Every structure is written in structure tokens, then in C-alpha cells.
Amino acid sequence: MVNFLPMRSPLSKRQNAEFSSEIKMKIFEDIPDMQKFAESVRKSGKRIGLVPTMGYLHEGHLSLIRNIRKSCDVVVVSVFVNPTQFGIGEDLNKYPRDFKRDQELCRKENVDIVFYPEVPKMYPEGYDTYITVEKFSGIMCGVSRPTHFQGVTTVVAKLFNIVKPHIAIFGEKDYQQAIIIKKMVQDLNFDIVIETSPIIRESDGLALSSRNKYLNKNDRKNAVLLYQSLQHAKKLFQKGERDILIIKQEMAKMILQIPNARIDYIEIVAPDTLRSPDQIQERAVAAVAVFIGKTRLIDNLLLEQ
Ligand code: AMP
């Protein structure tokens, strides 16, 4: 079931035209307009790069924009808070939104197109098609968010058909998501290159996230323990510890210093298969999801010598 929010008032054609003549950045709200434009770009031999986002942009998103620019001619940023990837009782309604600010940031980054559709345009009444990458979607974040990745793969597949990119970029912050998208692209033969981009962090190490806005001052200060627990895991690994259970226990001890923390999961997995062996071989990804109060934060770090 798609969860609908009240309709937002669309940008008037004049507003949009004024905006685009001033800054040369186009905003498309309609799917056929976006598709027609994408087709004309393709015909002209130019390469389209897509940066899918849910808006409320920060330096993490901007780094994706800067990175994809290196391998394409036309950068499209989609801004869409996708209802199908939120479960019942999750933060869809209060997810932060500020499209005016997002436009400004995109303009400063010389983004060519912002695709900004309304929910009923993406999911009209009677919408009934979903994509699931079976095995990868039921582990890690998929345990406590069982419908999340189905929503992600569905909206990304739709964006691929609408924006027609040659290349799309995803942040390593959502490590499992990037693996799942790559698998979908491989399994469904999308002719699209998937790139990933490193995690951008605050100066104390907290991974940037639109959800950090929910944290009060104290929780924000404590949230750095997530990254510190990952760094601790890396140090243990580099000192020769290979027992996953021991590393996970050490991480949990650190995270539980946060008084209102609830660990959703701590996993140490093989970077490609996301399988969790008893002993780490050469490399592994340590990944955490933790509720601080009501705010769920995720982070990960590659463990290697
Ligand atoms: P979101 O708007 O949260 O759906 O994120 C859109 C894209 O930005 C996803 O590919 C995320 O992985 C990526 N992203 C979000 N936060 C960061 C970050 N701190 N560093 C790098 N990429 C990020």
C-alpha cells in the first residue's frame, strides 16, 4: 500500500521558467517531460548521470553530484521522498523536506536537471508493481525494515526508466542499498553503470544524514560513538582479531554507553555477498544500525589491513 501525503502545490510554469532562465537549471515535475528531455539528451550523444535522493541535501549528497559529474555530461538529481520505502510507523510524514534549499544547493553545484515528482505521479491509484532483490533484502536493515528495500528497488527502477541515465551513483553510507541496486541492475539487465561514493562525515566522524536533524544536542554528541565503535572494530581487526563475535561484543559495549541507545543490529559481513562468516578472511564490512531515542542511524566501515 502506498502511503499518500497531501498534495503539495506545484511550481507554477512561470516560476519554473523564471527560475531556469536565471540559473539555467531545469526542474521537471512531470514524468513525460523528464522522459522526453532524457531522450533528446541521449540522441545528442551526451551521457546522463543520475543522483537519486530524498532531498534535504547535505554534503554527502553534494559529493555524489561532484563525483558523477566526472563521468557524464548532464547531471540529473531526483528529489523524491519515496513512500514505499517507509514502513508503517516510520518517519515518512516528518522526514525533513526543504525543496527551496535543495534547488539552491543544486544550482550552486551546476546540476542540469532536478526531477521533483509528486507522489501520485510516481504511484497513481492502482499502482501494483514492485521489484524485490530476494536474498539481500531480508538481512541487516531488512530484518527490522522488511519492506524497505522493495520500496528502494522499485523507485530506483522507475527512476531509471524515467531519467534514462547511462550512469547512476549511490553513497557507501547505505552500503546494503548499493549492493542491492547493483544486483538488481545485473539481474534485470539494466544498461546502466552503478558507481558508489565514499561516506562524508562531520568533523567528529558522525556520518552525514538528513535524519541527524532529529537529534537533540546530547544525542548528537553521543552519536559519534557509532563511528568510534566502527573504528574500534577496525583496530581490533588490524591487531589480528578475526572472531566476529568478539568484535561485535566490543562494539556493542561502546554503543551502549549511549543511555538511550537501542541496537538494531551490528553485523560484520563479506563486502560483496553480505554473508556473515564466523571468522573474517581478508576484508569485511562492519555495519551498525542504532536507535538513539526514536532516531535510527546507520553507518559502516571497511575492515582491512
Ligand atoms: P537519501 O537522500 O538519504 O536517500 O540519500 C541519497 C543518496 O545519498 C544515497 O545514495 C545515499 O547513500 C547518499 N548519502 C547519504 N548520506 C551520505 C553521506 N554521508 N556520504 C555519502 N553519501 C551519502
Side-chain angles (χ1 to χ4, degrees):
M1 260 308 265
V2 179
N3 205 343
F4 288 104
L5 275 179
M7 297 261 282
R8 62 162 196 258
S9 53
L11 298 171
S12 74
K13 283 239 156 53
R14 206 173 127 249
Q15 244 179 336
N16 203 343
E18 276 170 5
F19 192 73
S20 40
S21 64
E22 187 191 320
I23 60 155
K24 289 193 185 136
M25 182 180 78
K26 284 190 169 59
I27 300 165
F28 288 121
E29 296 187 67
D30 287 330
I31 293 169
D33 291 347
M34 183 67 242
Q35 283 174 316
K36 253 184 251 161
F37 184 84
E39 201 47 47
S40 70
V41 173
R42 280 188 160 254
K43 278 198 180 127
S44 73
K46 289 187 173 151
R47 285 173 63 78
I48 302 174
L50 170 64
V51 185
T53 82
M54 297 208 297
Y56 209 71
L57 303 181
H58 51 64
E59 277 296 319
H61 299 111
L62 303 186
S63 72
L64 301 188
I65 294 171
R66 288 168 200 150
N67 283 340
I68 203 167
R69 165 77 67 204
K70 296 173 199 157
S71 37
C72 69
D73 307 297
V74 173
V75 176
V76 180
V77 173
S78 60
V79 174
F80 181 62
V81 181
N82 174 37
T84 62
Q85 71 188 69
F86 289 79
I88 292 162
E90 290 187 353
D91 58 342
L92 172 64
N93 289 343
K94 67 167 188 162
Y95 194 85
R97 294 160 169 87
D98 189 344
F99 186 59
K100 218 169 159 204
R101 186 173 155 274
D102 291 344
Q103 284 177 69
E104 270 310 302
L105 289 169
C106 285
R107 186 183 59 77
K108 285 195 188 125
E109 293 299 326
N110 293 318
V111 166
D112 299 283
I113 308 293
V114 176
F115 179 53
Y116 180 55
E118 296 234 48
V119 171
K121 288 192 175 144
M122 292 294 274
Y123 300 107
E125 226 185 298
Y127 184 86
D128 201 24
T129 303
Y130 296 90
I131 293 176
T132 308
V133 174
E134 300 280 349
K135 288 201 186 83
F136 286 146
S137 298
I139 56 175
M140 300 167 76
C141 288
V143 175
S144 63
R145 307 186 76 192
T147 56
H148 171 66
F149 288 114
Q150 184 187 70
V152 171
T153 38
T154 298
V155 81
V156 169
K158 284 171 71 67
L159 289 169
F160 285 172
N161 285 328
I162 295 165
V163 176
K164 305 176 193 248
H166 297 81
I167 175 168
I169 193 162
F170 295 85
E172 285 161 14
K173 157 92 182 349
D174 299 85
Y175 191 87
Q176 185 180 9
Q177 169 175 283
I179 294 280
I180 286 174
I181 298 294
K182 282 183 183 167
K183 184 77 176 126
M184 175 185 78
V185 163
Q186 184 188 6
D187 286 356
L188 296 184
N189 309 102
F190 279 106
D191 190 10
I192 298 171
V193 175
I194 302 300
E195 276 192 1
T196 58
S197 197
I199 302 176
I200 305 297
R201 300 180 177 281
E202 301 277 8
S203 54
D204 64 355
L206 176 67
L208 294 188
S209 163
S210 307
R211 288 190 168 100
N212 291 351
K213 176 188 157 65
Y214 300 147
L215 299 170
N216 65 31
K217 218 171 154 192
N218 222 17
D219 291 346
R220 165 63 191 83
K221 214 173 73 202
N222 290 333
V224 71
L225 275 160
L226 267 68
Y227 181 54
Q228 287 174 357
S229 77
L230 291 165
Q231 284 181 310
H232 183 51
K234 187 169 178 173
K235 272 196 200 118
L236 290 172
F237 175 78
Q238 288 176 338
K239 279 190 196 152
E241 184 59 75
R242 292 291 180 271
D243 188 320
I244 285 184
L245 220 62
I246 290 177
I247 299 178
K248 281 169 44 167
Q249 275 167 357
E250 288 283 311
M251 292 174 71
K253 255 192 260 167
M254 285 185 77
I255 292 169
L256 291 175
Q257 287 171 29
I258 308 173
N260 54 345
R262 178 166 67 80
I263 295 172
D264 183 7
Y265 68 78
I266 297 174
E267 293 288 356
I268 295 177
V269 296
D272 300 332
T273 62
L274 302 185
R275 287 213 190 98
S276 186
D278 293 335
Q279 299 275 328
I280 308 172
Q281 303 303 320
E282 270 174 31
R283 300 157 83 228
V285 172
V288 294
V290 176
F291 285 93
I292 301 184
K294 285 187 176 159
T295 305
R296 185 176 180 278
L297 301 177
I298 59 170
D299 199 354
N300 68 81
L301 191 67
L302 183 66
L303 309 185
E304 60 181 352
Q305 280 303 335

